[in-house]
Amino acid sequence: MIVRPRRSALYLPASNARAIEKARRLPCDVVILDLEDAVAPEAKVAARAQAVAAVRDGGFGARELVVRVNGLGTPWGADDLDALAAVRPDAVLVSKVDGADDVAAYRGQVVDGVALWAMVETARSVLRLEAIASAPGLGALVLGTNDLAKEMRARLDTERTAFGGMLAMTVAAARAFGLVVLDGVHNAIDDADGLARQCAQGAALGFDGKTLIHPSQIAACNAAYSPAADEVAWARRIVDAFDGQEGVGVIRVDGRMVERLHLGEARALLDVVAMLDARDEPTQPSPRA
């Protein structure tokens, strides 16, 4: 499994050519071209053509390119998937997934070599997290807190008071089955303090990153989800300590017992740091440092 940074995942309407062009220069880790919520029905076909052209033309560099398609139950979903099969984005993100059967239906329509990501944004999806996360062929869970709040009739405050358990359970389901997991968006674009609090909350819960709705949110998100300086130093000590210790399962590092599972985690973290360094982007210490 390739470990890559997914700290910031920016949604863009696939109908907005100017935004797509700008995204090729933005410091986000993931670009999500949206064919679903952000596009009006009368613009769906044109937006699909624009998304296909963007994937085909490339130019996004190290950014992961994902397309969120319309559901198979809509007039546009099947055509979205057919059109994307020819250009092969890094991943296809699907919405309103209620269970393993939905995952299987989409997996059958997404070509091999293209990752399948699923939104967790319905009450049923929360109740079936294990079944969804364990479904064959799934690569990531993406939390959709706006749709979830609407369906639950819950208040979506900055602290996500009504969603604490669901946030943790989504992370647990993803980790249990080796999936990437991204937090939901923060709606208030000008609320820098609220964004910072949500990023810190998501990072503490174990999310890999956060979905965003505006480029101004990228820097704070990248900072919150970048490996902290003390985490990087600890990972290097673990890797150094295990060097030349083949066949040894547990060693002592700085007075702490460290197992080989921690070695794997340390190497994965250092791989992420190396990828960030390769982009010539200074790795900003996380507020968790």
Side-chain angles (χ1 to χ4, degrees), residues 123-258:
R124 288 184 178 182
S125 67
V126 172
L127 295 175
R128 298 169 180 168
L129 275 169
E130 181 177 358
I132 292 170
S134 63
L138 192 64
L141 297 177
V142 180
L143 204 61
T145 41
N146 284 330
D147 281 278
L148 190 55
K150 179 181 178 181
E151 184 171 318
M152 292 175 55
R153 303 175 193 169
R155 182 172 299 167
L156 186 57
D157 56 14
T158 299
E159 284 70 31
R160 278 96 60 91
T161 307
F163 302 92
M166 300 173 205
L167 297 173
M169 288 302 297
T170 301
V171 174
R175 295 295 172 242
F177 298 100
L179 306 182
V180 173
V181 60
L182 299 180
D183 198 1
V185 301
H186 181 59
N187 296 314
I189 296 172
D190 296 327
D191 179 17
D193 178 68
L195 174 65
R197 282 153 55 197
Q198 276 199 7
C199 286
Q201 179 191 45
L205 285 168
F207 283 95
D208 293 301
K210 187 173 181 66
T211 48
L212 310 173
I213 57 173
H214 195 273
S216 65
Q217 298 175 322
I218 295 173
C221 193
N222 283 350
Y225 282 97
S226 289
D230 59 345
E231 293 174 332
V232 175
W234 175 241
R236 288 189 173 127
R237 288 201 294 276
I238 291 174
V239 171
D240 290 344
F242 269 104
D243 186 35
Q245 298 289 333
E246 290 78 9
V248 177
V250 181
I251 60 175
R252 183 171 175 169
V253 181
D254 296 350
R256 296 165 60 180
M257 299 304 296
V258 178

